[in-house]
Amino acid sequence: MAVPSRGPSGPPLRILVYSDNPRIREQVRLALGKRIHPELPELTYLDVATGPMVVRHMDAGGIDLAILDGEATPVGGMGIAKQLKDELADCPPVLVLTGRPDDAWLARWSRAEAAVPHPIDPIRLGDAVAALLRTAA
């Protein structure tokens, strides 16, 4: 069986976006849009509002990148990132949205591959996501 191509015309990449705040999830989707880079396929999004649902969807597979809000409550994205990296044998890349730039060390502790601070800067987020997706491909 042939493996589908991940080039520009391949199947869409699935991005899990976690935050308890629907405005943060919307900001992420709007910042990234449908196509982040000409070499990558279109993006589709799975919005998740609770920590247990993040774990459930990640366990099920089919996610190419997880973007987790480190400021979410009651379960923060950094704790979830650490749990996913500890428990999933083939965990996709994780990007954590931190409360401030100085919190990048916490994102590294959580084993996230990237961190972008709030407020969401579309260029900074887009560059980080494109780099993670191109590396994963």
Side-chain angles (χ1 to χ4, degrees), residues 5 23 38 60 68 73 78 83 125:
S5 166
R23 286 179 291 177
L68 308 176
T73 60
M78 288 187 226
Q83 178 182 353
L125 181 63

Side-chain angles (χ1 to χ4, degrees), residues 37-62:
H37 192 278
E39 295 175 3
L40 294 169
E42 284 189 7
L43 305 178
T44 60
Y45 299 95
L46 174 62
D47 279 12
V48 180
T50 67
M53 288 305 291
V54 171
V55 174
R56 179 180 291 169
H57 286 293
M58 295 294 282
D59 280 341

Side-chain angles (χ1 to χ4, degrees), residues 10-24:
L13 295 168
R14 195 162 185 220
I15 311 297
L16 182 143
V17 181
Y18 164 66
S19 179
D20 64 316
N21 185 335
R23 286 179 291 177
I24 298 295

